[in-house]
Every structure is written in C-alpha cells, then in structure tokens.
Amino acid sequence: MFLQSSTPTLRLRLRHLLHSTALIGTRSLQPQHQQRHVPALSESPPRFQFQYSQCRSSSHSPISPLAVPPRKKVTINALRNLYASHTPIAMVTAHDFPSGLAADLAGVDMVLVGDSLAMVALGMEDTNQLTLDAMLHHCRAVSRAVKSAFLVGDLPMGSYEISPEQAIKSSIRLIQEGRVQAVKLEGGAELAPTISRLTSLGIPVLGHIGLTPQRASSLGGFRVQGKTLSSAQKLLSDALAAQEAGCFGVVLEAVPAEVAEMVTTELSIPTIGIGAGGGTSGQVLVQVDMLGYYPNGRFMPKFVKHYGEMFKMAKSGVEEYMKEVREGQYPKKEHTYPMGKEELEAFKRYMRERETGGKEKEGS
C-alpha cells in the first residue's frame, strides 16, 4: 500500500533498497574491505536467486544444507510393500542427532531409538534405569535428523506395564513430544490387550519377543530364547498374539535361526531379527555395536558384525590433535579468521598506547 501511494522515483529507490538489503544475507561471507555493488537507479533490480549461504563463526551448525535426504518418506505402507515383495527390511538404532543423521542418509528403512541407549550411550548398567523423560530427550534429538526413515521409539520399563491407559499416555508423549512415528514395547500374549488398545487408537506398535532385555532378570540373564520345545511354542504364541492385537511388525531377539524362520512363515506381518538368523523379514543392529564405538574387550553378542572402527578412529584423531597442539602445529593460518589491515594497525597502536599509558600518543 505504501509503495503504491509513493512517487515513481521513491518506489524505485525503495525497490533497490529492499533488494540491496536482501543481498546482505547471501553475500555476508565476503571480506569486509570489498565493496558490494549497489545498482544504479537506471538499472533494473536483478531477479531474486534462492541461493543461501551460512554466515557462521562457529562449528555448531546443526546440519549441512547438502545433507538433506532426497528420498521419499518411509511409511507403514512402504514397509508393507517391502514385506510383500520379500525385500529384507534394514533397521538400525540411533541415540542422538549425529547417529540419526548417519542412519537416515545411509538409506535405512527404519530407525529405532532403542532403550539400549541406556547402556551404549549413557553408560548405565541395564536398560531398566532409563526413564520415559530420558527416552523423550533422545527421541527428540534423533527425530531432528531422521526425515526419511520410519522412526520408532522404545517404551522404557515402567512406562506401559501398569495398564493400557498408562501405555496410551506414554505412547502419545513419544509421538507428540518425541516426534516418532511408532512405539515398540516388549512382551507377548500378556500384553496383547495393551497393544490392541494402542492400535485401536491409531498408534502403530512394533512388538518385541524372544529375549526381552527389560525382563532379563526373570529370564536368568541375557539368554537365547526358543531353544526348547515349550520355549519355541511360547515364542510362536506370542508372535501370533502380537499380530492379532494389531502390531505392524515384531522384533525377534536372540532366537535360533530355524525357529525364527518358522515363526516368520506363520505370520502375515514382518519380523525384524536381531540374533535370529537370516530367515526373518528384516534385521536390526545397535549402531554403537556395529560401528565399533568402544575399545576391544567390551562384551559383544555373537550376532554383531563390525562394519566400522569408530572408537579407533576417534582415539587416533584425538591423539593426533593433541600432538599437534603440543608441538604448535595447530592451529595454522588457514584455521584463523582475518582482520582488516587498517583495523589491525589501529588495534596495535591502541595496545602500544595502553602499555605506555598514552605517552606515545602525547609524544607524537
């Protein structure tokens, strides 16, 4: 409205002013001593170009603009299509923004914010020390990075067992505050009513049977399940109950490969194996384990395969950094920020005057 009521000359000046102001954001990385071109009044303002550059003096940028995943969002329907086409589903855990970003950009189908982070990321004794609030903190961090993979959050111990209503409240918090797309809970037939209530409300649930770490004490420790007839029968019964209750999939952990494969053939939903052989519909591994975040000597389940040596690389990098700091090799000129020559000389004069108490200025 203001531009329409102004004179033609004023309107032209305002356009150029707005254009030159907009250019500041895209040219802010230019050295200060270079003059920015301002169009003359006779020139037509160039068209805006949607080219953005960050003007930061810190490494604390959350994500590179080039790291945006180009693929489509993985949905439950996409997972069902993978299952229907017999395409193995790839799933890994993540516990923070960088691990979530690595998983998403790698192209995995599913990312799990698992309660295993209690041990691998927080140094706790077991998963049972993890609270719902702590899980929400990690889900939020991972969700900021995961934009394409289907994101699942674990319901930690004590957040769903008391009643279906408690499970609903906890699940809503994970979805609403943690920004996950589905929840995972441990348990079989005994939790079918809870699962049924959750799924009836439109909350996607991933089941988890076999070795259930939250109940490790009652299982006699972290032991393989399904090795006896009765145990294998219970595993099948739990899997069918989870499916009947509405789970879109179920994790089978630490189960003999033959049993896991037979259970998988009896279901019409995907099974995600961890230590359950190759006959399941997909696989999941803890990212910290598979990438070698810890030094040798830490106990590792036999089903874990190392795909990286992150601890070794990190330790080597820190050692090299420390060596260069000690020897004065870091930082070099290319790691510092420049200052205009005139401003630098002015500051040097100021420092000399400061040291002499202003006598140098008076003598000149």
Side-chain angles (χ1 to χ4, degrees), residues 13 23 35 59 155 166 169 219 237 321 345 354:
R13 286 184 181 275
L23 287 178
Q35 292 186 351
S59 62
L155 284 169
Q166 184 201 26
K169 290 179 181 178
L219 299 174
S237 175
Y321 157 76
E345 289 300 323
R354 188 172 180 273

Side-chain angles (χ1 to χ4, degrees), residues 29 48 52 58 90 93 113 120 153 175 211-212 230 237 239 244 293 298 305 317 355:
L29 293 179
F48 287 102
Y52 303 96
S58 169
T93 68
V113 187
V120 302
I175 293 172
L211 172 57
T212 48
S230 60
S237 175
E244 182 66 23
Y293 272 60
R298 174 174 173 262
K305 179 179 178 179
E355 291 175 2

